[in-house]
Amino acid sequence: MTTATLDAPSQARPAKQKVILCEGNEAAALGVALARPDMVAVYPITPQSSLVEHVAKLIADGRMDADIVDAEGEHSVLSVLQGGALAGARTYTATCGPGLAFMFEPYFRTSGMRLPIVMTIVTRDGITPQSVWGGHQDAMTVREVGWVQVYCETVQEVLDTTVMAFKIAEHHDVMLPVNVCLDGNYLSYGTSRVELPEQAEVDAFMGVKDVNWHVALDPLRPMAVDPLTGGSGGKGPSSFVRYRKGQCRGMQNSLRVIEEVHQEWAQRFGRNFAPLVEEYRLDGADYAIMTLGSMTGAAKDAIDEARDAGKRVGLIKLKTFSPFPVEALLKSLRKVRALGVVDRSVGFRWNCGPMYQETMGALYRLARESGSILPSMSFIGGLAGADITVGHFHRVIEATEKLLTGSAPTEPVWLNEKD
Amino acid sequence: MGRGYNTIAFDAAKCDGCGDCMTACATVKTGTDDKARSRIQIVGSESDGFELALCRQCGDPKCVTVCPAAALTKNYDTGVIEWNAAKCVDCLLCTIGCTYAGIALDAGVGHVAKCDMCYASPAGAPACVPACPHDALTYITTSRIYNEVGDWEDLFAPGLAGCQGCNTELLMRHTLRRVGPDTVLATPPGCVPGMGSVGFNGTTGTKIPVFHPLLTNTAAMLAGIKRQYKRVGREITALAIAGDGGASDVGFQSLSGAAERNEQILFMVVDNEGYMNTGMQRSSCTPYGAWTSTTPVGKGSGGMPAQGKTQDAKNLPLIMVNHRCEYVATASTAYMEDLYDKLDKAIQASKRGFAYLHVYSPCTTGWRFPTDQNMEVARKAVETNFVMLWEYTRATACTSRGRSMIRCRSRSI
Amino acid sequence: MYEVRFHGRGGQGAVTAAAMLASALLEEGKYAVSIPSFGFERRGAPVVSFLRCSDREIRQMTNIYAPDCLICVDPTLAKSVDIFSGLKPGGTLVQATHKPLAEVVLSEAVGVVGLCDAIGIALEVFKRPITNTLMLGAFARTTGVVSLEALKRSLEDSDFRDAGLAQNLIALERGYNETVVHIIERRVAA
């Protein structure tokens, strides 16, 4: 099935787009403006602040027609948007770190109510030790709450993905909130060349807004929203189980919709981002390293250098992290014989990076079908604003190469420990 | 639905038998000060207590039934039982028919005489009531509300599962009738949804859009709803019926934020002085000394007996005044006219900005008093000044019964 | 790939300068990426920002550890910060100072020096010691990596307006014209 509003763009080649220079936070704000939300609620927090300042300025300058609510905290930010969405508004906000922690209560509920709110997480490490710097710990901590989460690699991808996120969230087969994760510091403040799509082209891409067809607070069609719902149905199937299954189905559907929306974006605007899993020089590789977010740029440079030096290494990058794109990842994993996974956060329970922990589930599936276990290991780097440089990736490549012949360490490698 | 009528109520506990009411009645009705000719009669003694002999303007009047001349008739517009001199044959059967000694022979004129509520008088209200120096007589006009809203649709489903004698259910039903169907209702966790207003397992207890916000974000969610309807040009009332715990404790931040932003919301707090729905735990609105399940009374330790809550209640409505809301008022279900008056003002104010209504609401279950005593407890709370009924607007500041509550004295320095 | 590290103090506009330079490079059809260092940027505290430029797309989003060029917009900074850390051998220093070359702190790696009395000029142009646009002119003169024309166009496209724009255009031009470039032959030979 294709997206409902898909119609082919008038020209075969996408229209020429204005080129500007902007930081990632501004790119996100411009993406938001292009998606034309009705309501934006904001509360400042480092390193997200300039994003909401850009949004406020776009509205103040008349370049964006949205109701902006300067709420008194992140908890209310998301709550205001829930109200707005239930009344039919397209809604947006951004946060990170402690702000995300503070809004956890309504955050949990947004996916449960199937409200297609788009929220940027300008990822940040911490909370303790105190840190205002980048890292994926905040977004990773809430990966099990039913939001779709996608991670961007470049400033351009931030802009494009922000627009696409609204379409993914509001797709009737999905109806789930979406986090666009952009790396605090690196992408938030990183200034780079960006192509800006035309508003009319984006309007055609977005189609007609309909965000509360399934649940609404509207005197014209009165209903009770979120009544007490039990797990044991008495007579008939349990409403609670039905509800949860629906959420899981929405998450799984989103994998297909993310691909479709990215395809349509590429068609209309000429920029082709891997929607779920990106492979870089994986063909002919014996082993691979796996990355997420803005670290991937340096990793690609390191792969090029390693390839030039005769090493048979490739790269797998995840864009979509929630839902975990198991099938797409398996296609890539089948091509290699060893894997090193680099996380920018910590999974406390398994003493490894969270992406590595999730990947182990996929590796189990791979082992069942192949009968052998793919050796793998976890690297943790780039915490609290630390760099993961090309040099670090060379260490990752070397250590992963050794898995082909030696045994896999059970402890993670902490990349910045001795920097 | 039938009509309700105004009535004269008598509080025997306040009466000292002075007879001023009878003098007033006689003056108005006979032009004399002959108490014997008054249509209201106070009988009894200081030792045995006083009682009232006065026409009750019965709905099923025996005096009318027994009259052989059809000289007595019930006026269904005013409720008064009227006596027609032209038809009366002076048989006095009516005086025997009445249980309340509400109609009697006026020896001065030789006919029966009875109370007509002074309907025809210039004041249009009984002369006896204001004459009472002890407030033992009150002229109750709440029937106005009954006549006005009695036919309006109750927008809650029948059979909400409130506790027996629940004051909150009464308050909810009255409030929503008044606010009307073009409303989105937020009922944060507590007794209001607990009794089923948002329903269970896909059912609903309310005929308008209703939802469970979180205990913490009622005002914020309503703000989002109201703003979006405003954006698309639709008029709705964003109404919260919240408990004191959620409003004054964990939900206070979003309440304060929404009030500061002057969001167009009508926020009603039902103050039953604690977390009654979860088993009577202490809230910041629990008053000093009150027993709750988390401030129990007991022997204590270290020689210090546990004597209930050891702090005063947070004065939430006064805090809301300091947000410079469009309207703030306190009310009680024991004073329904006052409550309706304030509700009307709050509805109007919520079209301009934040309106806050704090209703003191005794809880039969949590406060452990008999289920038929709710109105009495609510009334006593006001009469004793344990709670105060007042209102605030930006123009008038805080007033109670139309009088300023702030006394300013100019002083030369 | 050409890598530049800006050194300045909070409030001097080192971060803005990096973004403006990136914009000028973009004007010339190059790829450019700038990122600030991350910290609490208080007025007067030393700050760093980074700029990469290239003829092809730039993928790395990291700090710069081995720059081709240093731009130091504050004359006193070298006393408190090791601005030369990681400079490539034969690398370039563009320094705001009124001192002659002999009195300027250098490292072994420095091969080219552009000196500009940025504070002196700024006090004349702005009546305040705002040195960042001046130093972009000095950078253009010293390295030739970007043209003065592109920098001007980038200023015209920026948020500067009216008098502010005019002042900055003068500052840019004077920075370019009044910078003295020295080639340190001895050090290149070493």
Side-chain angles (χ1 to χ4, degrees):
Chain A
M1 196 184 127
T2 54
T3 40
T5 54
L6 183 71
D7 52 75
S10 46
Q11 309 124 290
R13 286 187 54 173
K16 194 165 157 45
Q17 292 166 45
K18 192 180 162 194
V19 174
I20 58 161
L21 187 83
C22 69
E23 62 166 24
N25 275 351
E26 187 174 2
L30 291 168
V32 174
L34 285 169
R36 295 188 193 270
D38 300 288
M39 188 179 292
V40 177
V42 299
Y43 188 85
I45 182 167
T46 303
Q48 161 263 35
S49 300
S50 68
L51 198 168
V52 298
E53 288 167 9
H54 283 301
V55 169
K57 182 110 191 352
L58 286 168
I59 293 171
D61 289 346
R63 293 170 63 191
M64 181 176 168
D65 174 25
D67 189 359
I68 183 165
V69 188
D70 284 276
E72 78 291 345
E74 291 87 349
H75 192 286
S76 283
V77 160
L78 199 49
S79 304
V80 165
L81 297 187
Q82 288 179 351
L86 285 163
R90 177 174 288 162
T91 51
Y92 173 82
T93 189
T95 192
C96 67
L100 183 59
F102 180 43
M103 67 162 61
F104 185 71
E105 191 190 19
Y107 182 84
F108 201 114
R109 207 174 185 227
T110 311
S111 52
M113 287 201 287
R114 309 293 295 270
L115 300 178
I117 295 172
V118 172
M119 179 168 87
T120 305
I121 302 180
V122 187
T123 60
R124 169 173 160 173
D125 218 317
I127 299 174
T128 295
Q130 273 290 333
S131 164
V132 294
W133 300 284
H136 292 156
Q137 197 70 48
D138 50 1
M140 283 295 163
T141 301
V142 295
R143 69 189 186 275
E144 199 52 278
V145 190
W147 283 58
V148 173
Q149 295 182 313
V150 291
Y151 285 73
C152 298
E153 179 183 334
T154 64
V155 174
Q156 180 75 60
E157 193 175 15
V158 168
L159 190 151
D160 293 354
T161 306
T162 303
V163 183
M164 285 190 275
F166 286 94
K167 184 147 179 167
I168 295 162
E170 293 171 15
H171 193 288
H172 283 202
D173 292 346
V174 178
M175 295 312 290
L176 285 169
V178 175
N179 284 142
V180 179
C181 302
L182 65 99
D183 290 3
N185 302 145
Y186 295 97
L187 288 180
S188 62
Y189 305 147
T191 299
S192 164
R193 178 187 186 279
V194 164
E195 291 176 8
L196 194 62
E198 286 289 319
Q199 182 66 62
E201 298 276 328
V202 174
D203 288 347
F205 166 79
M206 290 301 293
V208 181
K209 179 189 73 183
D210 182 13
V211 304
N212 67 344
W213 56 274
H214 62 310
V215 54
L217 284 167
D218 184 345
L220 296 180
R221 45 183 179 127
M223 65 174 82
V225 171
D226 213 2
L228 286 172
T229 303
S232 150
K235 14 177 213 216
S238 153
S239 331
F240 196 94
V241 174
R242 240 180 15 234
Y243 219 89
R244 275 285 182 268
K245 278 185 77 175
Q247 269 181 275
C248 289
R249 197 161 51 242
M251 282 296 268
Q252 289 307 307
N253 289 347
S254 77
L255 289 168
R256 190 196 79 231
V257 172
I258 290 168
E259 285 191 298
E260 287 169 0
V261 170
H262 276 71
Q263 270 163 23
E264 192 190 345
W265 186 266
Q267 237 178 329
R268 286 180 183 272
F269 301 101
R271 285 186 295 278
N272 209 341
F273 302 100
L276 307 175
V277 177
E278 179 182 342
E279 293 179 357
Y280 183 73
R281 303 190 77 168
L282 198 63
D283 290 330
D286 288 333
Y287 59 104
I289 63 171
M290 192 164 151
T291 61
L292 186 69
S294 71
M295 69 166 89
T296 309
K300 285 174 178 171
D301 282 358
I303 294 281
D304 284 355
E305 290 173 12
R307 279 281 185 155
D308 288 348
K311 290 179 184 290
R312 293 167 68 82
V313 61
L315 181 137
I316 298 168
K317 182 198 78 170
L318 289 197
K319 173 164 187 176
T320 301
F321 193 83
S322 293
F324 201 71
V326 184
E327 299 301 335
L329 180 58
L330 281 172
K331 277 185 198 160
S332 302
L333 292 178
R334 285 185 196 113
K335 297 180 178 175
V336 295
R337 292 191 288 119
L339 180 71
V341 180
V342 186
D343 274 277
R344 198 163 216 144
S345 59
V346 174
F348 294 103
R349 295 167 305 142
W350 284 70
N351 191 29
C352 65
M355 182 162 70
Y356 179 70
Q357 180 195 327
E358 302 276 354
T359 302
M360 282 196 287
L363 292 175
Y364 170 74
R365 289 266 303 270
L366 192 67
R368 282 212 334 195
E369 68 180 42
S370 71
S372 69
I373 290 169
L374 184 81
S376 63
M377 64 186 289
S378 171
F379 298 86
I380 294 170
L383 303 185
D387 268 345
I388 314 180
T389 62
V390 173
H392 287 120
F393 280 112
H394 282 305
R395 279 174 56 198
V396 171
I397 290 167
E398 268 171 46
T400 306
E401 187 179 24
K402 284 182 188 151
L403 297 178
L404 292 171
T405 49
S407 61
T410 50
E411 292 277 315
V413 174
W414 299 76
L415 292 174
N416 305 92
E417 197 173 11
K418 291 174 183 147
D419 284 1
Chain B
M1 205 173 267
R3 276 181 64 82
Y5 304 104
N6 297 348
T7 188
I8 298 167
F10 175 66
D11 184 349
K14 290 180 178 169
C15 180
D16 70 353
C18 70
D20 287 2
C21 55
M22 294 190 277
T23 309
C25 180
T27 305
V28 168
K29 292 297 180 193
T30 69
T32 73
D33 60 357
D34 184 357
K35 289 180 187 173
R37 296 184 63 191
S38 167
R39 289 150 192 209
I40 181 169
Q41 290 293 325
I42 302 295
V43 294
S45 65
E46 205 139 343
S47 52
D48 298 336
F50 296 99
E51 289 179 66
L52 180 72
L54 177 69
C55 174
R56 263 57 166 179
Q57 320 291 355
C58 297
D60 176 23
K62 289 288 175 285
C63 57
V64 174
T65 319
V66 299
C67 178
L72 288 163
T73 47
K74 174 90 174 169
N75 181 327
Y76 284 94
D77 289 331
T78 62
V80 169
I81 292 158
E82 292 168 345
W83 172 70
N84 188 334
K87 289 185 179 171
C88 180
V89 294
D90 297 329
C91 67
L92 303 186
L93 277 175
C94 54
T95 64
I96 300 162
C98 178
T99 330
Y100 305 106
I103 187 165
L105 178 69
D106 177 351
V109 291
H111 301 300
V112 289
K114 64 173 294 299
C115 172
D116 62 0
M117 306 287 284
C118 295
Y119 260 115
S121 75
C128 55
V129 173
C132 176
H134 312 294
D135 290 335
L137 292 172
T138 41
Y139 184 52
I140 295 176
T141 56
T142 41
S143 55
R144 177 179 66 81
I145 296 166
Y146 177 82
N147 292 334
E148 197 175 338
V149 309
D151 288 336
W152 294 1
E153 188 177 9
D154 182 347
L155 293 169
F156 283 106
L160 292 183
C163 299
Q164 193 174 19
C166 177
N167 194 51
T168 304
E169 182 177 349
L170 172 96
L171 178 63
M172 284 158 58
R173 289 186 186 276
H174 273 279
T175 301
L176 205 52
R177 249 176 227 261
R178 187 56 144 203
V179 180
D182 289 329
T183 301
V184 175
L185 172 63
T187 69
C191 294
V192 181
M195 67 178 82
S197 58
V198 196
F200 301 94
N201 284 336
T203 63
T204 179
T206 311
K207 300 175 190 171
I208 60 162
V210 62
F211 69 107
H212 260 133
L214 297 164
L215 191 53
T216 43
N217 72 357
T218 311
M221 281 189 76
L222 276 177
I225 291 162
K226 176 69 185 187
R227 277 169 177 262
Q228 178 60 13
Y229 282 115
K230 208 176 151 193
R231 183 176 161 85
V232 298
R234 281 179 58 191
E235 179 80 30
I236 63 133
T237 302
L239 170 68
I241 304 182
D244 59 280
S248 68
D249 292 339
V250 73
F252 180 69
Q253 175 171 325
S254 71
L255 173 62
S256 173
E260 183 268 336
R261 293 191 303 273
N262 208 26
E263 304 282 3
Q264 295 173 352
I265 292 172
L266 171 47
F267 202 100
M268 175 182 274
V269 166
V270 185
D271 181 1
N272 54 20
E273 302 185 346
Y275 294 92
M276 298 311 168
N277 187 58
T278 43
M280 293 81 88
Q281 296 87 2
R282 164 209 200 274
S283 82
S284 56
C285 282
T286 303
Y288 179 87
W291 170 94
T292 70
S293 58
T294 52
T295 57
V297 175
K299 211 161 63 159
S301 59
M304 285 290 291
Q307 293 179 315
K309 193 185 174 196
T310 54
Q311 299 83 19
D312 276 327
K314 179 190 276 186
N315 193 328
L316 188 55
L318 217 48
I319 293 169
M320 298 315 290
V321 165
N322 282 323
H323 287 74
R324 310 278 296 160
C325 296
E326 284 290 334
Y327 185 73
V328 179
T330 61
S332 164
T333 45
Y335 297 84
M336 284 304 286
E337 282 187 298
D338 179 65
L339 194 153
Y340 262 99
D341 186 42
K342 287 168 172 168
L343 185 56
D344 285 347
K345 289 179 184 170
I347 292 167
Q348 286 312 310
S350 73
K351 298 182 196 303
R352 304 188 302 272
F354 202 87
Y356 178 84
L357 205 50
H358 192 98
V359 184
Y360 296 105
S361 184
C363 170
T364 57
T365 306
W367 299 11
R368 305 198 167 162
F369 60 81
T371 53
D372 63 351
Q373 292 296 301
N374 215 318
M375 279 313 121
E376 193 53 28
V377 173
R379 187 178 298 115
K380 287 276 194 313
V382 176
E383 285 176 344
T384 57
N385 271 344
F386 192 78
V387 299
M388 280 171 277
L389 305 189
W390 50 267
E391 65 183 336
Y392 161 91
T393 68
R394 289 178 190 162
T396 61
C398 292
T399 54
S400 186
R401 294 190 199 172
R403 285 204 304 267
S404 174
M405 293 171 73
I406 301 165
R407 302 237 167 87
C408 298
R409 248 178 234 163
S410 59
R411 197 180 346 169
S412 50
I413 301 164
Chain C
M1 182 110 76
Y2 188 83
E3 296 184 324
V4 183
R5 194 165 68 208
F6 287 76
H7 287 273
R9 294 185 185 275
Q12 287 179 330
V15 175
T16 315
M20 265 190 309
L21 178 53
S23 155
L25 289 162
L26 199 69
E27 290 267 351
E28 297 194 324
K30 294 192 169 125
Y31 286 88
V33 170
S34 76
I35 54 171
S37 68
F38 320 131
F40 294 101
E41 286 171 12
R42 297 288 175 258
R43 277 186 186 273
V47 296
V48 183
S49 63
F50 310 99
L51 178 128
R52 285 188 173 90
C53 86
S54 174
D55 292 331
R56 39 170 262 185
E57 194 179 352
I58 298 159
R59 296 187 299 204
Q60 286 179 51
M61 294 293 276
T62 61
N63 294 352
I64 288 170
Y65 298 92
D68 296 279
C69 176
L70 303 168
I71 302 178
C72 185
V73 305
D74 183 280
T76 63
L77 204 62
K79 287 179 192 165
S80 51
V81 180
D82 177 16
I83 64 169
F84 300 104
S85 166
L87 180 67
K88 281 188 186 130
T92 304
L93 168 69
V94 185
Q95 173 74 53
T97 183
H98 67 277
K99 291 178 180 170
L101 179 65
E103 292 176 35
V104 174
V105 182
L106 298 177
S107 81
E108 288 294 313
V110 178
V112 180
V113 182
L115 299 181
C116 179
D117 180 13
I119 301 253
I121 301 169
L123 288 175
E124 287 174 29
V125 176
F126 300 105
K127 318 291 180 213
R128 283 187 294 155
I130 307 169
T131 56
N132 57 350
T133 28
L134 269 152
M135 292 304 289
L136 289 179
F139 170 77
R141 177 62 175 273
T142 310
T143 65
V145 165
V146 67
S147 70
L148 183 62
E149 286 313 305
L151 282 168
K152 280 183 183 169
R153 282 198 302 275
S154 143
L155 264 185
E156 280 158 2
D157 291 345
S158 71
D159 288 339
F160 287 120
R161 292 280 174 277
D162 309 326
L165 176 62
Q167 280 179 331
N168 275 288
L169 285 169
I170 292 168
L172 191 60
E173 188 128 16
R174 287 194 62 182
Y176 185 87
N177 290 332
E178 296 174 35
T179 295
V180 183
V181 181
H182 305 271
I183 310 294
I184 316 284
E185 300 289 353
R186 178 178 54 80
R187 296 185 199 280
V188 171

